[in-house]
């Protein structure tokens, strides 16, 4: 089972990957939105913002998200690590319910380029 530190590091790698992306992927990541990532098996939430293609984690706290972020992700720690490492296909994981992504319709259309 992934640790909180490993999950935070994975979010950092995801942020780095998004920051270095080019073309449509870079454009899709260039949102300014509040974000939360709930790690279900650890029952911890990382909260922050997606700004200029980077995920800035401002807070980590126990339990589910306290506020409704504009972009919400929920998954296990192991699935987060597998997604960031390219070992888990996001579309299949989302379609099967392993990963939950919630956002407004306009944001979902932009984010699909990232996924």
């Amino acid at each position: 089972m992934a640790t909180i530190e490993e999950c935070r590091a994975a979010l950092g790698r995801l942020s780095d990957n998004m920051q270095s992306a080019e073309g449509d992927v870079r454009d899709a990541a260039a949102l300014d939105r509040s974000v939360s990532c709930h790690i279900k098996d650890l029952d911890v939430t990382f909260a922050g913002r997606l700004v200029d293609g980077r995920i800035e984690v401002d807070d980590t706290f126990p339990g589910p998200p306290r506020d409704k972020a504009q972009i919400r992700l929920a998954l296990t720690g192991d699935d987060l690590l597998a997604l960031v490492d390219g070992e888990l296909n996001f579309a299949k994981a989302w379609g099967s319910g392993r990963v939950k992504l919630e956002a407004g319709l306009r944001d979902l259309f932009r984010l699909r380029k990232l996924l």
Side-chain angles (χ1 to χ4, degrees):
M1 180 161 86
T3 66
I4 292 173
E5 294 79 18
E6 289 171 324
C7 292
R8 181 179 277 282
L11 287 172
R13 288 193 313 276
L14 176 61
S15 181
D16 291 344
N17 293 345
M18 289 174 18
Q19 183 71 33
S20 64
E22 296 179 1
D24 287 344
V25 173
R26 174 106 173 135
D27 292 342
L31 296 169
D32 182 3
R33 301 286 189 271
S34 60
V35 296
S36 66
C37 180
H38 183 229
I39 308 300
K40 298 184 295 187
D41 56 331
L42 299 174
D43 197 25
V44 67
T45 297
F46 297 96
R49 292 200 72 79
L50 174 61
V51 180
D52 295 326
R54 290 202 57 80
I55 300 169
E56 298 175 355
V57 175
D58 298 326
D59 199 7
T60 304
F61 51 86
R66 295 176 181 163
D67 299 313
K68 186 176 179 181
Q70 292 166 305
I71 299 172
R72 300 168 303 281
L73 187 65
L75 67 170
T76 66
D78 289 340
D79 284 345
L80 174 62
L81 271 59
L83 280 171
V84 173
D85 292 339
E87 299 168 1
L88 179 63
N89 178 281
F90 181 86
K92 289 181 182 178
W94 188 27
S96 70
R98 277 177 72 176
V99 173
K100 294 188 188 282
L101 173 67
E102 297 176 300
L105 189 58
R106 179 177 272 162
D107 288 340
L108 285 173
F109 280 126
R110 286 191 72 180
L111 290 171
R112 70 182 165 87
K113 294 177 186 175
L114 293 172
L115 313 170

